[in-house]
Amino acid sequence: MAPQRRGSSHVLQPVSSPIATPCPPQASPPGATGVRAALTTAMAGLLVGLDTGLIAEALGFIGHDFHAGARAQEWIVSVLMIGALLGSLGAGVFSRRFGRRLALGTATLLIGAGALLCATAGLIGQILLGRFLIGVAIGICTFTAPLYISELTTGKMRGTMVSTFSMLQSCGILLGYLAGGLLAGGGHWRLMVGLPVVPAALLFAACALLPSSPSWLAARGRFEEARKVLRDLRGDEAEADRELDCIRHELGAGKAVSGFALLRAKPYFRRSVALGIGLQVMQQLTGINVVMYYAPKILEGAHFGTTAAAWATVLVGLVNAVVGIGAIYLVSRWGRRPLLVSSCIIMACALGCAAMIEGMHLHGPGATLSLVAALLVFVAGFGMGAGPLVWTLCSEIQPIAGRDFGVACSTLANWGMDWAVSNTFLTIVAALGAGWTFAGFSVMNIGFMLFTVLLVPETRDVPLEVIEQHLEAGLPLRRIGR
């Protein structure tokens, strides 16, 4: 991690060039141990995505077996977001007290327990309880993993490694769709919802091999342990010692105030928290999760058969995964803002086309294939920018004194808006039609583009301490990077 500069007693002046800082950027390449630890942590994204893909394929079968209508199916999907909201709310306190590694391990246990409850359910209430537990775990993962990764890696690897978490979510969705497609012919929905037990157990075992966060150790006064971890992660004793000195400096400079107290005391922290919340709200208003959760139902409404819809959904997941892999390359080369703006434009255009197809009630193979193509382009647009970059930015813009609190707030906003969208999508489609619904999401993507142009900073290759100094100095949000 490139340690960040906490609040100090003097006022920093706005500058247009790099600031002299007691915490210069790392000069050495990232150590192999640090990369391995970050990749292991990023595997939590696979579990998060796997549930999305599996429930999308299993939902129709669950609805049939339990005679569940549209509202009941909306709750089967969206109760997970309520759990995730609560999980992300408590994850900050839990990970701050017990550490990132234990928080991640606890989440894997909850995923396994929830999957078993769903797989053995005799009543729909048991499925709701199981999905609620999975939601709590996913809320913990989406809070802890990007934050933990940012603390394990150096500045140059930060964007790539956090984007890997998002890419693995995409791969998890694809695996869920594939498993669902293979099991759809026999209607084996219990096997579908029980599959996360296996990867959850593997990640739980892997958590025992992960190091503690050096920043977390230092914050608890365990400096010698932090030094040892840093030397293992960086593979360079001088670099590790320099980074620990920097962490000591930051902790000493800002020890008087943190978290909610910092929010009340510092306007600059209120601005960074508001930006993080805004990014997560806009990400959900793109409409991505209604496509990922309800893709089979959307395609069945476009006159696909059940099996054909399942395999067309696999294609959606494949595009999502492939583009997610490409985004890892692009995020460190093109920059955050250009990718995010391009992503919003592509998504707006794709959903605009889908709205026209659905709104004009076009039929026939050509219209059906055009709708699938529009959804694929939409998913590709999301995967190249809005998917990975929102999580990356939210882990970059918060000052160290309020990082846990700020990331918790933005993660909470993500799951709250995810619940609101997924819990109403089928109802809105029934009331307005798919055409107007897609048109509304297209407009939201245009709004996201304007939000990015006006407020989102370019943070590529900018040390975290420089971002924080610009923030403290009162620069406009779009200029706190470079």
Side-chain angles (χ1 to χ4, degrees):
M1 176 189 75
Q4 305 160 326
R5 195 175 193 285
R6 299 179 71 162
S8 58
S9 59
H10 63 281
V11 178
L12 295 167
Q13 298 302 317
V15 294
S16 56
S17 59
I19 301 174
T21 171
C23 307
Q26 290 89 344
S28 61
T33 301
V35 173
R36 285 196 300 269
L39 286 173
T40 301
T41 304
M43 292 301 294
L46 194 71
L47 283 173
V48 174
L50 186 63
D51 176 82
T52 300
L54 289 170
I55 197 60
E57 296 284 20
L59 186 61
F61 298 109
I62 294 173
H64 179 268
D65 284 4
F66 288 96
H67 307 290
R71 281 300 293 154
Q73 291 182 49
E74 284 177 336
W75 273 105
I76 290 170
V77 170
S78 64
V79 72
L80 181 140
M81 292 80 186
I82 296 176
L85 188 150
L86 295 175
S88 61
L89 187 63
V93 175
F94 188 94
S95 70
R96 184 169 61 250
R97 181 167 183 178
F98 299 106
R100 320 308 191 198
R101 181 175 58 177
L102 185 57
L104 200 62
T106 301
T108 63
L109 289 176
L110 288 174
I111 288 176
L116 286 173
L117 280 173
C118 291
T120 59
L123 299 171
I124 199 168
Q126 186 173 334
I127 292 179
L128 293 174
L129 176 60
R131 286 192 52 73
F132 174 80
L133 291 179
I134 293 172
V136 173
I138 287 176
I140 295 171
C141 286
T142 53
F143 168 87
T144 305
L147 182 59
Y148 192 18
I149 291 168
S150 73
E151 294 176 339
L152 292 173
T153 53
T154 60
K156 286 187 176 297
M157 290 295 294
R158 193 178 65 234
T160 297
M161 289 291 100
V162 176
S163 295
T164 299
F165 170 76
S166 181
M167 179 273 290
L168 287 171
Q169 280 186 261
S170 300
C171 291
I173 292 171
L174 173 60
L175 288 175
Y177 286 160
L178 281 170
L182 291 170
L183 296 170
H188 301 302
W189 65 266
R190 293 183 186 275
L191 285 176
M192 295 183 201
V193 297
L195 279 177
V197 171
V198 176
L202 293 174
L203 185 55
F204 176 78
C207 284
L209 304 177
L210 290 174
S212 295
S213 161
S215 294
W216 179 81
L217 289 170
R220 300 182 71 81
R222 295 158 62 178
F223 293 106
E224 286 308 312
E225 292 178 65
R227 186 189 308 278
K228 183 179 183 303
V229 170
L230 281 169
R231 288 178 175 179
D232 289 341
L233 292 174
R234 304 295 178 252
D236 184 315
E237 289 192 11
E239 181 72 16
D241 292 344
R242 184 211 62 81
E243 189 169 335
L244 182 60
D245 288 343
C246 182
I247 292 174
R248 283 178 181 269
H249 175 85
E250 308 307 342
L251 291 171
K255 63 184 178 182
V257 62
S258 63
F260 188 70
L262 185 67
L263 186 74
R264 290 184 299 175
K266 301 295 183 181
Y268 72 82
F269 186 45
R270 291 196 289 272
R271 291 196 301 138
S272 67
V273 169
L275 178 58
I277 290 173
L279 282 165
Q280 294 286 11
V281 167
M282 294 307 300
Q283 186 198 62
Q284 290 305 311
L285 289 177
T286 62
I288 184 61
N289 277 329
V290 299
V291 172
M292 304 313 289
Y293 290 132
Y294 297 113
K297 286 192 166 292
I298 293 170
L299 295 171
E300 286 175 25
H303 309 291
F304 272 73
T306 301
T307 302
W311 285 108
T313 301
V314 171
L315 186 59
V316 170
L318 179 62
V319 169
N320 188 42
V322 170
V323 175
I325 294 170
I328 294 176
Y329 174 84
L330 295 174
V331 72
S332 61
R333 288 162 177 80
W334 283 15
R336 284 34 163 176
R337 281 168 57 91
L339 268 179
L340 201 49
V341 169
S342 300
S343 173
C344 293
I345 293 172
I346 291 170
M347 290 188 292
C349 292
L351 289 182
C353 291
M356 291 178 60
I357 295 166
E358 292 282 5
M360 296 172 66
H361 304 289
L362 301 177
H363 299 291
T368 301
L369 291 175
S370 296
L371 177 61
V372 173
L375 294 179
L376 293 177
V377 171
F378 166 73
V379 169
F382 180 86
M384 68 177 278
L389 288 177
V390 166
W391 293 105
T392 301
L393 285 162
C394 285
S395 71
E396 292 176 329
I397 61 176
Q398 304 300 342
I400 191 172
R403 184 187 299 159
D404 283 0
F405 182 86
V407 174
C409 286
S410 59
T411 306
L412 187 68
N414 177 281
W415 290 112
M417 186 55 63
D418 191 358
W419 174 82
V421 172
S422 62
N423 189 251
T424 56
F425 175 70
L426 295 179
T427 302
I428 293 173
V429 169
L432 301 179
W436 282 110
T437 304
F438 283 134
F441 283 120
S442 178
V443 171
M444 292 298 178
N445 280 287
I446 295 173
F448 195 3
M449 179 192 67
L450 296 175
F451 179 92
T452 301
V453 170
L454 294 175
L455 296 173
V456 175
E458 178 54 68
T459 58
R460 180 173 65 93
D461 293 339
V462 182
L464 297 181
E465 67 275 4
V466 172
I467 296 172
E468 182 170 348
Q469 288 190 18
H470 285 166
L471 184 66
E472 288 185 23
L475 294 184
L477 286 171
R478 69 178 181 275
R479 291 182 55 205
I480 63 175
R482 60 179 175 86

